Amino acid sequence: MLDLAARLALRGAGRAEPNPLVGCVLVRDGQIIGMGHHMQDGGLHAEAHALLDVTRRGLSPAGATAYVTLEPCAVDGRQPSCAHALVSARVARVVYARPDPHPKKGGGAAVLRAAGIACEQSEASPLARGVGAPFAKRVATGLPWVIAKWAQTIDGRVATRTGESKWISGELARARVHRLRGRVDAIVTGIGTVLADDPLLTARGVRPRRTAMRVIADTDLDLPARSQLVRTAHETPTAVACDSTVASSDVFEARRRTLQDSGVLVLGIPSVGGARGIDLRELLRALASAHRVSTVLVEAGPGILGAMLEQDLIDEAVVYIAPMVLGDDLAKAAAAGRVAPSLSHGRIFDLWRVRPLGSDVELTYRKKL
């Protein structure tokens, strides 16, 4: 039942954030009597939708067990408290997969127990715990959930030695990427990718649930004014993240003005310990605090991905494996720039999901906690 609740929760991806993805299933006498999920930010919570579903079926929730991916909220906010709603509905038992980490709204389990309702946390469903991980991270760290995406050959190459990468993956995989773009708040790439591919980084051929801000990590403001990203900046939110000294230096005023006149937001980000290149952690923090970014998709070259891995910033990796082997030592790997003299220096991920896409395979990994 928690697995089912998790699958329901995932239906809200791209609409519910920055709220958590939550699903709820109500069961009595072994039969499902109601289901619901949090559909959109500011809308009814999953438990409320499930209780409404029970009513639509002409049934009563009294005596039922509620299976919820996240501990029901304890206090009223934009929506009424789910814990109190379950008490009023006279459910007999609540099973939840993850405690609510919110400092003001958590504690619903105590409310339920005080009302005489059996309440327990269960780790039986990794999927149900996993759907709440992005929200838990945002509450704990203030940073967005970071998804890195790339397509590679069987032998782990994302481009040939000359940089050719179109197209390693097939049409179904590329359609999935567009779907993902339409469900995140920001898409981060590097200036190297822009200069090599001149990407648009928009969700095309799908019905997007939100419009992502396109963010280019570009230390020295080398972003060409004729690039597709700049030429469409008035239509799709676009920002360039440069070194904080570049953002205020008179030497770069002409470059800044050209980009700003084109609709590009210039973000000054400090460097890492005085070294060249912006601090990607600080970039993520700025996006979250100033622009309410809760989910980030990284579509970048080996340098940015390597730097993200070095700072342990990647929470999820979506990897498309194509049925191709290059066997070329100089072909480009997915990530570069790190020093990993032993396996212990690697970043460990858990396999989260496997999805065949024609001849390709989509593998989704989550950072091992």
Side-chain angles (χ1 to χ4, degrees), residues 57-361:
R57 299 177 190 225
L59 302 172
S60 168
T65 294
Y67 295 92
V68 197
T69 58
L70 187 69
E71 177 188 12
C73 56
V75 299
D76 293 347
R78 286 181 292 176
Q79 294 294 330
S81 159
C82 294
H84 287 100
L86 293 172
V87 170
S88 298
R90 296 183 293 122
V91 301
R93 178 172 171 245
V94 175
V95 180
Y96 63 93
R98 178 185 284 272
D100 188 340
H102 198 288
K104 295 182 179 179
K105 297 186 178 181
V111 172
L112 294 164
R113 294 188 185 107
I117 295 173
C119 188
E120 63 188 89
Q121 180 189 353
S122 170
E123 298 188 3
S125 169
L127 181 62
R129 281 187 56 79
V131 294
F135 176 69
K137 182 204 175 182
R138 292 194 295 271
V139 171
T141 68
L143 295 175
W145 185 257
V146 177
I147 306 166
K149 161 263 159 186
W150 68 86
Q152 67 176 55
T153 61
I154 294 173
D155 55 338
R157 304 299 177 170
V158 299
T160 67
R161 62 170 63 196
T162 61
E164 181 186 358
S165 61
K166 294 182 178 180
W167 294 104
I168 287 177
S169 58
E171 290 185 6
L172 292 177
R174 297 199 293 276
R176 290 280 295 178
V177 172
H178 283 280
R179 178 175 178 267
L180 184 54
R181 287 177 181 174
R183 297 188 175 196
V184 298
D185 292 318
I187 301 171
V188 172
T189 193
I191 184 61
T193 297
V194 175
L195 296 177
D197 299 336
D198 192 22
L200 196 54
L201 298 181
T202 55
R204 302 184 298 280
V206 297
R207 185 175 297 173
R209 295 185 172 186
R210 54 182 60 194
T211 300
M213 172 188 284
R214 304 171 302 183
V215 182
I216 305 96
D218 179 13
T219 302
D220 296 321
L221 286 183
D222 292 322
L223 182 62
R226 293 303 302 164
S227 66
Q228 291 196 91
L229 292 170
V230 175
R231 286 189 287 112
T232 58
H234 283 299
E235 304 161 17
T236 304
T238 306
V240 58
C242 64
D243 188 282
S244 54
T245 60
V246 172
S248 58
S249 170
D250 292 341
V251 175
F252 292 90
E253 182 180 358
R255 295 188 189 184
R256 288 197 307 271
R257 190 183 304 279
T258 297
L259 293 174
Q260 290 168 338
D261 289 347
S262 298
V264 177
L265 175 67
V266 177
L267 303 174
I269 306 295
S271 60
V272 183
R276 292 293 299 158
I278 63 172
D279 187 329
L280 295 172
R281 184 181 299 276
E282 290 306 312
L283 170 58
L284 295 174
R285 196 178 304 281
L287 292 175
S289 62
H291 302 282
R292 298 188 75 240
V293 167
S294 59
T295 50
V296 170
L297 175 63
V298 180
E299 292 194 61
I304 293 288
L305 286 175
M308 286 269 185
L309 285 170
E310 183 65 22
Q311 291 188 264
D312 197 20
L313 297 176
I314 297 175
D315 302 296
E316 184 173 318
V318 180
V319 185
Y320 297 93
I321 310 293
M324 178 191 305
V325 175
L326 291 178
D328 185 343
D329 288 345
L330 296 182
K332 300 182 185 300
R338 299 187 68 234
V339 176
S342 68
L343 292 178
S344 64
H345 290 83
R347 300 296 186 195
I348 307 299
F349 291 79
D350 287 325
L351 182 62
W352 178 252
R353 185 173 58 202
V354 178
R355 182 188 294 269
L357 296 172
S359 298
D360 300 329
V361 179

